[in-house]
Amino acid sequence: MISETSNQTSNLAAVVSSRRPLFKSLGEAWLAGGAHAFGVWNQGQLLAQWPANVIQPSADIVAPIRVGGKMVGELRVAGCSGPAIEARLNAEAQLVAQLVSLESELEGMTAELIELQDQQLALYELTQSTRNHLDLDQTLHSLSREAARLVKAEGALLALSLSDKQPLCVQYPDTLLNRDDVADVYPWLQRRERELVLNSSQGNFKLPRSVRSLLLIPIGIRDSYRAGLFLINKQDGIFNAPDVKLARAIADQAGAQIENVLLYQETLEQARLRTELNLAAQIQLQLLPQRIPRIPGLDLSARSRPALQVGGDFYDLIQQPGQPFVFAVGDVSGKGMSAALLMAMSRTVIRSRANSLATRSPDEIMARVNEDLYDDFTEVSMFATAFIGQYHQSREELVHVNAGHSPVIYCRAGEQPQLLEADGTAIGVLPISLAENHALPFGPGDLLIAATDGFSEARNPADELFGYDRLLQLAAELHEKSAQHISEALFAAVDRFGAGHPQDDDQTLVVVKGVAA
């Protein structure tokens, strides 16, 4: 007796053979995305591979193909890795498993229901006609055409409702019903969860002029009746019980096929979004300074860690020959892609103004930045806090301006650290900047920590904030250490405090330490 697992294993080989164009498309997509090889395996045996003319390299990612909880094969990819790649391969393995399961169901139905050979043959033909379609519109057109042919109707209409969008209606032939007739019959589906047979107008249901008879079968999509199959005008008279039974089986098959296509498209979309986010994260990191400049009299460290793949925090370290060193830290309201776009704008405008202004005093830079960005921030109802510092080595002084930014900690050598309060509103709140210059003595041993609120507002599992006091205490304990050591210790302290709690906000830090020139 052949076991169920063995039968499903043979079905995998059959699926690979019969759906060769589909697997070829998947393989070519992986190769185009940078993979070295893509293959389908079964118990150590290679069923198919792209490219076909090379020796299969060692796989970097393997995704099991499971049907009914049992592994019947696996997909292997070599040459690329990562969470997004793994998620994509697992999704495709699920799709293959569904195809194998579908193949098993068709074989079982054929073996067990010999007396219903015509119905089984119809379902098989329907599956064959749609098996290689991964596009929703193509799938619906193929299903409507085959349903009309198998039930011997003059035409068919498939209606699918996705979320709150306008229902998608596909009919065969294309001229079967006009737009008004489609609008008349579709609401019937929304009021019913059972089939409807009309061989003439009756009760509340008046058939359109071009329709002599109609058979409606609701289609279950993801546990709700979101689609329906309308069979229109039986060729040899009226729709009867065998027609309803056959149409119901076709509708069940159509529902499974539509679900497969929706799942595949959603998986591809998710993989595309992950790829785009990963690329955006790489680009954002490249926008930040790639090296720490050497500034006489200063020891510097800077780091940014977004809460999501991209974030709204930024920092910049601006060194120009013959000009004082300028640094900036900022935090755009919100998180994610919108904050990341405004972060890039803010950082670019600050750098541009710092490089173009002759005097480059922090308050002038901030005033011009606010002027440049005010309209854009107002349009999207967002803002950005920012701290700009300027170091004058000759007089051991640090001049700074603060537009609503916190926390910023200043610690003189041998003294206790203190928070520097903001005296201006955030960028984008008012059409003019109210922030003014403030000068601080800054010689060897002095320390300034400009962070974003991702530190002070970090939470632990008990929903307790890290707070300013802990930051001040750490600054007092660490002020004699190097800037790099202080930066690493602050990030480590926040991680220990969070104890596994997800990072709620972006965390960015610039540490400026005075040293002997």
Side-chain angles (χ1 to χ4, degrees), residues 491-509:
F491 274 100
V494 169
D495 289 342
R496 287 194 302 272
F497 178 79
H501 186 276
Q503 183 179 335
D504 294 320
D505 200 358
D506 307 327
Q507 296 170 349
T508 299
L509 189 69

Side-chain angles (χ1 to χ4, degrees), residues 81-95:
S81 61
I85 299 298
E86 185 175 359
R88 174 182 171 186
L89 191 64
N90 281 326
E92 293 181 355
Q94 292 177 16
L95 176 61

Side-chain angles (χ1 to χ4, degrees), residues 160-175:
L160 175 63
S161 178
L162 298 175
S163 65
D164 296 327
K165 299 178 181 178
Q166 183 71 18
L168 176 61
C169 294
V170 171
Q171 58 179 341
Y172 171 82
D174 293 338
T175 57

Side-chain angles (χ1 to χ4, degrees), residues 206-246:
K206 181 175 177 58
L207 292 174
R209 182 176 304 176
S210 59
V211 179
R212 301 186 307 273
S213 56
L214 180 145
L215 170 58
L216 163 61
I217 305 293
I219 299 176
I221 304 290
R222 296 176 177 173
D223 300 323
S224 64
Y225 290 98
R226 303 167 60 187
L229 171 63
F230 295 81
L231 294 161
I232 297 170
N233 295 341
K234 178 71 173 177
Q235 292 177 0
D236 56 359
I238 63 174
F239 292 107
N240 52 32
D243 295 326
V244 174
K245 188 173 183 180
L246 177 57

Side-chain angles (χ1 to χ4, degrees), residues 106 109 119-127 150 249-250 253:
L106 290 177
M109 291 173 66
Q119 178 177 326
Q120 299 306 307
L121 179 60
L123 292 178
Y124 179 76
E125 291 176 352
L126 179 66
T127 303
L150 294 171
I250 292 173
Q253 184 66 33

Side-chain angles (χ1 to χ4, degrees), residues 93-164:
Q94 292 177 16
L95 176 61
V96 174
Q98 290 177 339
L99 295 176
V100 173
S101 178
L102 178 61
E103 198 81 4
S104 299
E105 292 173 6
L106 290 177
E107 288 186 359
M109 291 173 66
T110 304
E112 295 173 5
L113 304 174
I114 296 299
E115 69 277 14
L116 297 176
Q117 183 177 7
D118 290 342
Q119 178 177 326
Q120 299 306 307
L121 179 60
L123 292 178
Y124 179 76
E125 291 176 352
L126 179 66
T127 303
Q128 292 287 58
S129 70
T130 60
R131 66 195 312 171
N132 291 324
H133 292 318
L134 293 177
D135 177 80
L136 184 59
D137 191 64
Q138 288 181 349
T139 299
L140 295 180
H141 273 94
S142 181
L143 288 170
S144 62
R145 181 182 65 250
E146 290 302 308
R149 182 178 68 85
L150 294 171
V151 184
K152 294 181 174 57
E154 291 182 3
L157 182 145
L158 259 173
L160 175 63
S161 178
L162 298 175
S163 65
D164 296 327

